[in-house]
Amino acid sequence: MDYLKNRAGELAITLILLVGVLYILLWTPDISNKFSSPFHQYCHQSPASNQITTANTPPRDELETALDGASMGNNKTLIIAMVNKAYVEGETSMLSLFLESFWLGENTRFLVNHLLLVTVDQIAFDRCKFLRLHCYRLVTEGVDFGGEKLYMSKEFIKMMWRRTLFLGDVLKRGYSFIFTDTDVMWLNNPFSRLSRDENEDIQISCDQFYGNPWSEANPMNTGFYFVRSNTKTIALFDMWYVMKDNSNYTRMKEQDVLVSLMRKGVFRELGLKVRFLETLYFSGFCQDSKDFKVVCTVHANCCRSIHAKVADLTAVLRDWKKFKMVSTTTTNETSSTVRWSSHLACANSWRMNINSTN
């Protein structure tokens, strides 16, 4: 009888231990992803009051698979760029320069693992797959976005609006992202310079920086920006896209429409907190960074054609390689010995016949 009691006690203890082990395995929060992503210290979900719930999340589809594959685990943050065949063809293409900048930049190579390349034609998609990148083929419903679309041409404006619609869809799926044009060279990890304040909804580049990151006087540029997915940014993108059919905006590109909305107080009405990025760190041809050591991106803005951008961006990468070589061979102030080349091709691009944009 004592034997049976002892045996029953042993079984009870064993059962309790087994239940405890199962509880730990099944209910302990998974923190492995919290520190696995290099982005975690920079990119976080928006405050709980602004987060998008998953209750109404659409069924997993091809886009969801692509977004999930490029994002950083539970963080749901990624980098998005959009290309057509004009940006991927040629011995030296815009895409090849874009990717080369990640290779040459400081702490940027791994970022390619979190880049989603959105393609608008089959040639660009095939090139993306050949390069083994994260790729998504955007359906354009009979509109040909394959060739070069000169700045402010009708096709250019249509393509920019299609991009806005797509990015709004990404936000609705709960993903935050950096959007970058492929004529932006990534020379340092931009997450090291972006604000970590989760209350900041949008951080956007500008053609010129006037000293105050909160001033709407800074001329924004939608070629590079970081946006958090929340109810406010989704509302902005919805409102923004609807304006394409407004008769007052039919001849305006999407960037100019966003500026107009801002000046009408829409940012304040939605409660958006928008930071304008300093050109010291997020520069462009409109206003060069004055310091090679801290510059994160160089954008071929204030330029009109792909040919001109490729020529001047090739010079940018050449200047960057020269800086890196000098900085590793001397302890002197390297920024005083290296200068950006003049952006002559882009300056000359504005002399083209304006009628070619129609």
Side-chain angles (χ1 to χ4, degrees):
M1 190 69 177
D2 291 339
Y3 170 78
L4 292 176
K5 290 181 178 180
N6 292 336
R7 184 62 176 169
E10 292 174 357
L11 290 173
I13 293 173
T14 300
L15 180 60
I16 292 172
L17 291 173
L18 179 60
V19 170
V21 171
L22 289 173
Y23 177 84
I24 292 173
L25 291 175
L26 294 176
W27 295 101
T28 299
D30 180 12
I31 63 172
S32 61
N33 286 329
K34 183 176 181 179
F35 302 101
S36 61
S37 169
F39 289 94
H40 182 78
Q41 57 181 318
Y42 306 119
C43 307
H44 305 276
Q45 289 295 327
S46 301
S49 61
N50 291 324
Q51 286 184 5
I52 308 305
T53 62
T54 58
N56 297 320
T57 300
R60 190 179 183 88
D61 56 11
E62 190 174 339
L63 175 56
E64 189 71 28
T65 300
L67 293 169
D68 183 61
S71 68
M72 309 118 234
N74 294 337
N75 198 27
K76 297 191 76 172
T77 302
L78 70 157
I79 303 162
I80 298 176
M82 187 174 290
V83 294
N84 62 7
K85 68 179 181 180
Y87 281 73
V88 304
E89 291 183 323
E91 184 176 346
T92 301
S93 67
M94 190 77 76
L95 178 61
S96 65
L97 290 175
F98 178 64
L99 296 175
E100 185 180 359
S101 74
F102 283 85
W103 180 259
L104 296 173
E106 294 293 331
N107 195 26
T108 52
R109 293 185 184 181
F110 74 94
L111 296 176
V112 177
N113 297 326
H114 302 292
L115 167 67
L116 177 63
L117 205 61
V118 180
T119 64
V120 297
D121 58 68
Q122 191 62 43
I123 292 176
F125 181 74
D126 291 342
R127 182 60 177 169
C128 178
K129 298 299 288 186
F130 175 78
L131 294 171
R132 298 183 178 182
L133 302 171
H134 294 290
C135 312
Y136 177 71
R137 174 73 161 88
L138 182 65
V139 177
T140 57
E141 299 179 354
V143 181
D144 180 17
F145 289 143
E148 178 179 2
K149 309 305 176 190
L150 286 176
Y151 181 73
M152 288 308 295
S153 65
K154 292 180 181 179
E155 292 77 13
F156 172 87
I157 293 174
K158 289 179 181 179
M159 189 162 63
M160 294 303 99
W161 281 120
R162 184 63 184 91
R163 183 177 83 181
T164 303
L165 178 63
F166 170 79
L167 294 176
D169 187 15
V170 173
L171 290 175
K172 290 175 182 176
R173 293 167 183 260
Y175 289 87
S176 303
F177 57 82
I178 284 182
F179 175 80
T180 174
D181 282 339
T182 51
D183 61 351
V184 175
M185 301 295 99
W186 288 48
L187 304 181
N188 271 293
N189 186 340
F191 285 96
S192 65
R193 295 292 178 182
L194 291 173
S195 171
R196 305 178 192 183
D197 185 351
E198 297 178 10
N199 293 309
E200 294 182 17
D201 304 293
I202 300 174
Q203 299 178 61
I204 191 166
S205 64
C206 51
D207 290 334
Q208 292 182 315
F209 182 71
Y210 296 144
N212 181 357
W214 308 111
S215 173
E216 295 181 354
N218 295 302
M220 73 166 65
N221 190 302
T222 54
F224 181 96
Y225 58 90
F226 174 55
V227 55
R228 298 182 187 275
S229 173
N230 58 48
T231 55
K232 293 180 291 183
T233 56
I234 289 174
L236 174 66
F237 271 69
D238 283 344
M239 186 181 300
W240 186 10
Y241 182 73
V242 167
M243 290 298 104
K244 76 178 179 61
D245 296 322
N246 188 305
S247 59
N248 295 322
Y249 301 118
T250 53
R251 295 291 296 175
M252 296 172 63
K253 64 181 183 295
E254 97 304 344
Q255 177 179 291
D256 295 336
V257 173
L258 184 61
V259 171
S260 178
L261 292 175
M262 175 185 68
R263 291 175 176 170
K264 290 181 178 180
V266 169
F267 287 5
R268 291 186 293 276
E269 289 176 9
L270 294 175
L272 286 163
K273 192 172 184 180
V274 180
R275 175 188 290 272
F276 294 90
L277 300 170
E278 297 183 45
T279 52
L280 178 66
Y281 308 112
F282 300 90
S283 69
F285 291 174
C286 301
Q287 188 175 54
D288 290 323
S289 171
K290 297 179 180 180
D291 195 339
F292 275 80
K293 297 189 300 298
V294 300
V295 65
C296 293
T297 59
V298 177
H299 185 191
N301 51 6
C302 294
C303 195
R304 191 159 176 266
S305 70
I306 293 177
H307 176 77
K309 291 183 178 187
V310 167
D312 284 345
L313 288 175
T314 299
V316 166
L317 294 185
R318 184 174 62 243
D319 295 339
W320 176 252
K321 286 185 281 188
K322 180 180 178 181
F323 162 75
K324 292 186 68 176
M325 181 179 66
V326 171
S327 64
T328 56
T329 58
T330 181
T331 58
N332 295 328
E333 189 72 19
T334 55
S335 61
S336 64
T337 60
V338 181
R339 292 284 186 272
W340 298 111
S341 299
S342 299
H343 315 303
L344 294 178
C346 282
N348 291 332
S349 69
W350 296 100
R351 300 177 182 176
M352 298 170 58
N353 184 0
I354 194 65
N355 291 330
S356 65
T357 65
N358 295 330

